[in-house]
Structure formats: C-alpha cells, structure tokens
Amino acid sequence: MPDMTPSKRVDGDALDALIIGAGFSGLYQLYLLRDRLGLKAQVLEAADGVGGTWYWNRYPGARCDSESHSYCYSFSKELQQEWEWTERYPEQPEILRYLNHVADRFDLRRDIRLGTRVAAARYDEAGNLWHVTTASGDHLSARFLITAVGCLSTANVPKIPGLESFAGSWYHTGEWPHEGVDFRGKRVGQIGTGSTGIQAVPVIAATAQHLTVFQRTANYSVPARNAPLDAAFKRWVKDNYDAIRDVTRATTNGHPFTISDRSALEVTPEERQALYEQAWEKGGLQFRATFRDLLVDKAANDTAVDFLKAKIRAIVKDPKTAALLTAFDHPYATKRPPIDTDYFETYNRDNVTLVDVRTAPIERITPGGIRTRDAEYPLDIIVFATGFDAMTGPLLRMDIRGRGGLTLQEAWDAGPRTYLGLQVAGFPNLFTVTGPGSPSVLCNMPVAIEQHAEWIADCIAHLRDRGLQRIEAKPEAVERWVAQVNEAADATLLPQAASSWYLGANVPGKPRVFMPYTGGMAHYRSICDGVAARGYEGFALTD
Ligand code: NA7
C-alpha cells in the first residue's frame, strides 16, 4: 500500500469516497482511504454505534466461530500486540469492544456519521458522482461509493401468518434488544437451528422455564471447545503473529490452520476414526479440515456424516430426539457448519423439547403460541433464529441506481452478477466489499475484508496516479466471472444443500444462485492481484 500525496479532490462539497457501514469493513476502508491515501472520505452507518454485525447480534450465546487470534485486523502490528483476547472464540461484547477500540485508536469516529441509514444512491454520469440520500432526507455526493454493509445484516423474519396477533414478545437474533431478554419463568419457542440457533439454545435453556426448538432442517455441529486463553498461548500468539498471518493468507478459508492433504478414503477405518476423534476433541471448524476431500467427494463426506451421527446418538438420550437431530438432508459442511457449546447435551434437559417442523410445518402463530400441523405450543416468547437475506439483501434494500438509471434490482433480477464480487457492470466507481461472487462468507471474514479493502484502496490510488476518474467492470468480464463462480461451486458438494442460504434458498422467492466464490481465499487473492497487475484487466478505466 503506497503512501500518497494529498489527493486531487472532486469539486465542491463532494467527497472523494463515501463508505456505507462501520463494521470490520467500513472501519478499515476509512482508515485506508483517509489515512493512507489522504482522501476525503466519510462513513455512513445506520446504527448508533460502530461494529456492524457485532453491534446488532446481541442474542444469548452470540460468539464468533473463528478463533480470536485470527478474527481481528492484521494491518497494524501495534494493534495486534496491544489487544488481548480472553477466550478461544470471542464473545459478541468482546468483539464490539475491539471494534470500538479500533475506531478510537485510529481516530476514525470523526469521519463516521452514526444513525444515518442510506436509503438510495444514484450515479450521475455527467458529473461522474454518486449521489446518496439518507433515510432522513440528507444528500451527500462522492466520486467513489463503497458498500461495507456486511453479508449477514438483513434479518429474515419469515412471514408466518398470525405473527401480529401474538400476545407475547418476539425477537430476531440479529436485531436483539440492547437491554437483553429475561427468559426466567417463560415458555420460549425458538425457530431455527443454524449457527445462531445452535449457539442460543443452551444459553436460553439455562434460564427459561421451557424451551421448544422448532427444527426444519437437522444440522451438524461439532464442539467448539471454547475456553479462556492461558498466558502461554497469548504469548505464543504475539510472538508468532507473522507466521499465523502467513497461514491465514495461504489457506482456503482464511483460518489459522491448514487442511490435511490426506483423503478420508485412503486411510484405514481405524485410522479415520482416530483422526475424527482427535478433531472432535480439539473442536471447532478444524474438524472440516481433517481430510482434504470432505467437500468434494460424497463418499469421503459420508464418513464424516457417519462419525457425527454416532456422536450425536451417543450424547442425546432420547432416541426419538436423536433421530430427529440426525435426520440430515445434505452432506456435512455443505451448509455453514456450526460449532457449539453443549448444543446436543441441552436436549437431555427436562425443560427442552425438539419439534420437527419439516414433517409437520408451522401453520400459524396464534395469540398464545405456535401452531404446527399437528399441535399447538403455548409460548410467552418467540425467538427467530431464522437467519438473513444473505449477501444480496443488504445491498438490494437500498435503492442503488447506476448508469442510465439501471437499478441494482434490475441488474440482479436473476441473481447477483459481479466481477470478482467487487463491481457490477453499469455501476461505475461502486465497489462492494465482500460482495456476492467473492469468497466472503466462506472465509474467516477479517481476512476476506482486509483483502478487499486493500485491493479497492490500491485501485483508487492507481486511478489517481494516472489522472483517471472512473472504473467500471466490463460486461464480458462479469460473464466470465459468473461462469467461474458457478464452475467453482459445481466442483464442490456445496450446491447439494438444497436449503442453503449460500444459494438464497432460505428466503422465499429469492433467485437460486450460489453466491460466494468457492475457489478458496488464497486462490482468489492471486486472481485479484493478477487482475490489478495486468492494469485492472476486465475493467474499463477512463478519465
Ligand atoms: P441460518 O444459518 O440461515 O439458519 C436459519 C435457521 O432458521 C435454519 O435452521 C432454517 O431452516 C430456519 N428457518 C428459516 N426460516 C424458517 C421457517 N420459515 N420455518 C422454520 N425454520 C426456518 O441463519 P443463522 O443466523 O443461524 O446463521 C447465519 C450465519 O451467521 C451463519 O452461517 C454464520 O456465518 C453467521 P432451514 O435450514 O432453512 O430449513
């Protein structure tokens, strides 16, 4: 990242860059554009605080599934030496403290407007400017518009008839009240058993009078083995940060561990069992890295499925509940694999019931609770752990209009189409951090975010150095990239999970397109670097 002389600014009150969102992406993008490039940049953030995902997701048990020493920025060696994580997996309040610390440490707040939701953004071709309108009617303009809106930030509350008639309280996990929810003495119903639901169940069950979990799709989970970090590990991390970062940058998923080069099918059944046992004991997303072919070979994947089924059956005492929890309809880790703390154990508690809403769907919400085809469940509180309109939702809920008034909704009518997940044809100077078509959610997010934010800053510096004002993805480059994204997905088992949010399947009516790039973060990084080295191949650069 070169240090630049102060920028040649755009005319009048217009900014060089507007950034939407003050989470991991927006904070770093602001730092790069303002402090490294010397641009006039501003962040607009809907929430009343920084933190993005970690500002909103305050549900019981909210914790990151990436290990803390890798779920943080790498751009500042001082920051990584100063900050001390307390647990193997950081809890939501700790991550929020970290992001607030970053905002203060790099003096970012003076260029962040909180409580400012972007309603619309329109590209003015003659002036080569983006005009942004906020929900309260303010107008701002900038040469570059950068969306740093997160991939999982538009709550998906299913339209179940009767919700408005419910006499109790209901909450979505991604929009949790800051003051918390008191479950004591309450009959709680939780819909959803994704990564969020699996984190929430044990914590809610600990205080609720009764918890009823409504499961539509049985989900795999592996113990997280979360624990406080000891002094020796903390020291080791600080002494070895460069090497740890080298691993996160070189691996498929941006995590600080490598994927085994063994096939699950080339070892003996005894060896395989022993390796899975070791991985189960170690815990966490590393389980998926036990063998190299778990995500590409169904027979290899089946061995993991058999192992996990046996574990769940050994933990869960009631055979009917165990059968429901293991009624998987997709290969292991083809949906985002959760990790947990006592999730399956919690079904042994007397105050927890599992209800199968695949065979007997929820029909309506009544004033008194949830009615399925077979029964009515009286409830005081409903928790929607029902996920998000992932990846495209946060972008499409803004009215973004590019060249000739083309809306992003129109451009993505049949599903998202981008070049490298960074730009959309017809939308000059608009960059989408961790946009659809990039590894994003398949990667440890800070690794994906840093790569995108740096690529965008380098690109803007490149334009400025050459007196260029505009960059736009060429339609043929988009075509080729979309084909590459599909090809990469089809080379894996991931599209086999019919109900996956990677495919948009969790939101009724959403086009079924496999959205993230499955070719691996390290490979993707080299593609992006190559594109830049070849003078931003596939983009039109104009003055
Ligand atoms: P997910 O992974 O999308 O999980 C949502 C869950 O809610 C999942 O079990 C869904 O079942 C269930 N769901 C959604 N709508 C309904 C309806 N209408 N009825 C019954 N059940 C429903 O969201 P999370 O918040 O857990 O995780 C999102 C990501 O955040 C996670 O992957 C991490 O990357 C962080 P389904 O499987 O669709 O049948």
Side-chain angles (χ1 to χ4, degrees), residues 197-231:
I198 281 177
Q199 287 185 339
V201 159
V203 184
I204 296 176
T207 55
Q209 183 197 106
H210 195 91
L211 172 65
T212 306
V213 181
F214 296 87
Q215 173 189 281
R216 187 165 68 180
T217 306
N219 211 343
Y220 303 91
S221 187
V222 166
R225 310 275 181 221
N226 185 45
L229 295 175
D230 61 29

Coordinates of all heavy atoms in Angstrom, one line a residue, residues 197-231:
G197 N -28.9 -20.3 16.0 CA -29.8 -21.1 16.9 C -29.0 -22.1 17.8 O -29.4 -22.3 19.0
I198 N -28.0 -22.7 17.2 CA -27.3 -23.7 17.9 C -26.4 -23.0 19.1 O -26.2 -23.7 20.1 CB -26.4 -24.5 16.9 CG1 -27.3 -25.5 16.2 CG2 -25.2 -25.1 17.5 CD1 -26.6 -26.3 15.1
Q199 N -26.0 -21.8 18.9 CA -25.4 -21.1 20.0 C -26.4 -20.7 21.0 O -26.1 -20.7 22.2 CB -24.7 -19.8 19.4 CG -23.4 -20.1 18.6 CD -22.8 -18.7 18.2 OE1 -23.4 -17.7 18.2 NE2 -21.5 -18.8 17.9
A200 N -27.6 -20.3 20.6 CA -28.6 -19.7 21.5 C -29.2 -20.8 22.4 O -29.5 -20.5 23.6 CB -29.6 -18.9 20.8
V201 N -29.5 -22.0 21.9 CA -30.3 -23.0 22.6 C -29.8 -23.2 24.0 O -30.5 -23.2 25.0 CB -30.4 -24.3 21.7 CG1 -30.7 -25.5 22.6 CG2 -31.4 -24.1 20.6
P202 N -28.5 -23.6 24.2 CA -28.0 -23.9 25.5 C -28.2 -22.8 26.5 O -28.5 -23.0 27.7 CB -26.6 -24.3 25.4 CG -26.4 -24.6 23.9 CD -27.4 -23.7 23.2
V203 N -28.0 -21.5 26.0 CA -28.0 -20.4 26.9 C -29.4 -20.0 27.3 O -29.7 -19.8 28.5 CB -27.3 -19.2 26.3 CG1 -27.2 -18.0 27.2 CG2 -25.9 -19.5 25.8
I204 N -30.3 -20.1 26.3 CA -31.7 -19.8 26.7 C -32.3 -20.9 27.6 O -33.0 -20.6 28.6 CB -32.6 -19.7 25.4 CG1 -32.1 -18.5 24.5 CG2 -34.1 -19.6 25.7 CD1 -32.8 -18.4 23.2
A205 N -31.9 -22.2 27.3 CA -32.4 -23.3 28.1 C -32.0 -23.2 29.6 O -32.7 -23.7 30.5 CB -32.0 -24.6 27.5
A206 N -30.9 -22.5 29.8 CA -30.3 -22.4 31.1 C -31.2 -21.6 32.1 O -31.2 -21.8 33.3 CB -28.9 -21.8 31.1
T207 N -32.0 -20.7 31.5 CA -32.9 -19.9 32.4 C -34.4 -20.0 32.1 O -35.2 -19.7 33.0 CB -32.5 -18.4 32.3 OG1 -32.6 -18.0 31.0 CG2 -31.1 -18.1 32.9
A208 N -34.7 -20.4 30.9 CA -36.2 -20.4 30.5 C -36.9 -21.5 31.4 O -36.3 -22.5 31.8 CB -36.3 -20.7 29.0
Q209 N -38.2 -21.3 31.5 CA -39.0 -22.3 32.2 C -39.0 -23.5 31.3 O -38.8 -24.7 31.7 CB -40.4 -21.8 32.5 CG -41.3 -22.8 33.2 CD -42.7 -22.4 33.0 OE1 -43.5 -23.0 32.3 NE2 -43.1 -21.3 33.7
H210 N -39.3 -23.2 30.0 CA -39.3 -24.3 29.0 C -38.9 -23.7 27.6 O -39.2 -22.6 27.3 CB -40.7 -25.0 28.9 CG -40.6 -26.3 28.1 ND1 -40.4 -27.5 28.8 CD2 -40.5 -26.6 26.8 CE1 -40.3 -28.5 27.9 NE2 -40.4 -27.9 26.7
L211 N -38.0 -24.5 26.9 CA -37.6 -24.1 25.6 C -38.1 -25.1 24.6 O -37.8 -26.3 24.7 CB -36.1 -23.9 25.5 CG -35.5 -23.7 24.1 CD1 -36.0 -22.3 23.5 CD2 -34.0 -23.7 24.1
T212 N -38.9 -24.7 23.6 CA -39.3 -25.6 22.5 C -38.5 -25.1 21.2 O -38.6 -23.9 20.8 CB -40.8 -25.4 22.2 OG1 -41.5 -25.7 23.5 CG2 -41.3 -26.5 21.2
V213 N -37.8 -26.0 20.7 CA -37.0 -25.7 19.5 C -37.7 -26.3 18.2 O -38.0 -27.5 18.2 CB -35.5 -26.3 19.6 CG1 -34.7 -25.9 18.3 CG2 -34.8 -25.8 20.8
F214 N -38.0 -25.4 17.3 CA -38.7 -25.8 16.1 C -37.6 -26.0 15.0 O -37.0 -25.0 14.5 CB -39.7 -24.7 15.7 CG -40.8 -24.6 16.7 CD1 -40.7 -23.7 17.8 CD2 -42.0 -25.3 16.6 CE1 -41.7 -23.6 18.7 CE2 -43.0 -25.2 17.5 CZ -42.8 -24.3 18.6
Q215 N -37.4 -27.3 14.6 CA -36.3 -27.6 13.6 C -36.9 -27.9 12.3 O -37.7 -28.8 12.2 CB -35.5 -28.8 14.2 CG -34.5 -29.3 13.2 CD -33.8 -30.6 13.6 OE1 -32.9 -30.6 14.4 NE2 -34.3 -31.7 13.0
R216 N -36.5 -27.2 11.2 CA -36.9 -27.6 9.9 C -35.9 -28.5 9.2 O -36.2 -29.4 8.5 CB -37.1 -26.3 9.1 CG -37.7 -26.5 7.7 CD -38.3 -25.3 7.1 NE -37.2 -24.4 6.7 CZ -37.4 -23.2 6.1 NH1 -38.7 -22.8 5.9 NH2 -36.5 -22.4 5.8
T217 N -34.6 -28.2 9.4 CA -33.6 -29.0 8.8 C -32.5 -29.4 9.9 O -32.0 -28.5 10.6 CB -32.8 -28.2 7.7 OG1 -33.8 -27.7 6.8 CG2 -31.8 -29.1 7.0
A218 N -32.3 -30.7 10.0 CA -31.3 -31.1 11.0 C -29.9 -30.6 10.6 O -29.6 -30.6 9.4 CB -31.3 -32.6 11.1
N219 N -29.2 -30.2 11.6 CA -27.9 -29.5 11.3 C -26.8 -30.2 12.0 O -26.9 -30.7 13.2 CB -28.0 -28.1 11.8 CG -27.1 -27.1 10.9 OD1 -26.2 -27.6 10.2 ND2 -27.3 -25.9 11.1
Y220 N -25.6 -30.3 11.4 CA -24.4 -30.9 12.0 C -23.9 -29.8 13.0 O -24.0 -28.6 12.7 CB -23.4 -31.1 11.0 CG -23.8 -32.1 9.9 CD1 -24.4 -31.6 8.7 CD2 -23.7 -33.4 10.0 CE1 -24.8 -32.4 7.7 CE2 -24.1 -34.3 8.9 CZ -24.6 -33.8 7.8 OH -25.0 -34.6 6.8
S221 N -23.2 -30.3 14.0 CA -22.4 -29.4 14.8 C -21.3 -30.1 15.5 O -21.4 -31.3 15.8 CB -23.2 -28.6 15.8 OG -22.5 -27.6 16.4
V222 N -20.2 -29.4 15.7 CA -19.0 -30.0 16.3 C -18.7 -29.2 17.6 O -18.9 -27.9 17.5 CB -17.8 -30.0 15.3 CG1 -16.5 -30.2 16.0 CG2 -18.1 -30.9 14.2
P223 N -18.3 -29.8 18.7 CA -18.0 -28.9 19.9 C -16.9 -27.8 19.5 O -16.0 -28.1 18.8 CB -17.4 -29.9 20.9 CG -17.7 -31.3 20.4 CD -17.9 -31.2 18.9
A224 N -17.2 -26.6 20.1 CA -16.3 -25.5 19.9 C -15.0 -25.7 20.8 O -13.9 -25.3 20.4 CB -16.9 -24.2 20.1
R225 N -15.3 -26.3 21.9 CA -14.2 -26.4 23.0 C -13.7 -25.0 23.3 O -12.5 -24.8 23.3 CB -13.1 -27.3 22.6 CG -13.5 -28.7 22.0 CD -13.7 -29.7 23.1 NE -14.1 -31.0 22.5 CZ -15.0 -31.8 22.9 NH1 -15.7 -31.4 24.0 NH2 -15.3 -32.9 22.4
N226 N -14.7 -24.1 23.5 CA -14.3 -22.8 23.9 C -13.7 -22.8 25.3 O -14.1 -23.6 26.1 CB -15.5 -21.8 23.9 CG -15.1 -20.4 24.1 OD1 -14.1 -20.0 23.6 ND2 -15.8 -19.7 25.0
A227 N -12.8 -21.9 25.6 CA -12.2 -21.9 26.9 C -11.4 -20.6 27.0 O -11.0 -20.0 26.0 CB -11.2 -23.0 27.1
P228 N -11.2 -20.1 28.3 CA -10.3 -18.9 28.4 C -8.9 -19.2 27.8 O -8.4 -20.4 27.9 CB -10.2 -18.7 29.9 CG -11.4 -19.5 30.5 CD -11.6 -20.6 29.5
L229 N -8.3 -18.2 27.3 CA -6.9 -18.4 26.7 C -5.9 -18.3 27.9 O -6.0 -17.4 28.7 CB -6.6 -17.4 25.7 CG -7.4 -17.5 24.4 CD1 -7.1 -16.3 23.5 CD2 -7.2 -18.8 23.7
D230 N -4.9 -19.2 28.0 CA -4.0 -19.1 29.0 C -2.8 -18.2 28.6 O -2.6 -17.8 27.4 CB -3.5 -20.4 29.5 CG -2.8 -21.2 28.4 OD1 -2.2 -20.6 27.5 OD2 -2.8 -22.5 28.5
A231 N -2.0 -17.8 29.6 CA -0.9 -16.8 29.3 C 0.0 -17.3 28.3 O 0.5 -16.6 27.5 CB -0.2 -16.5 30.6

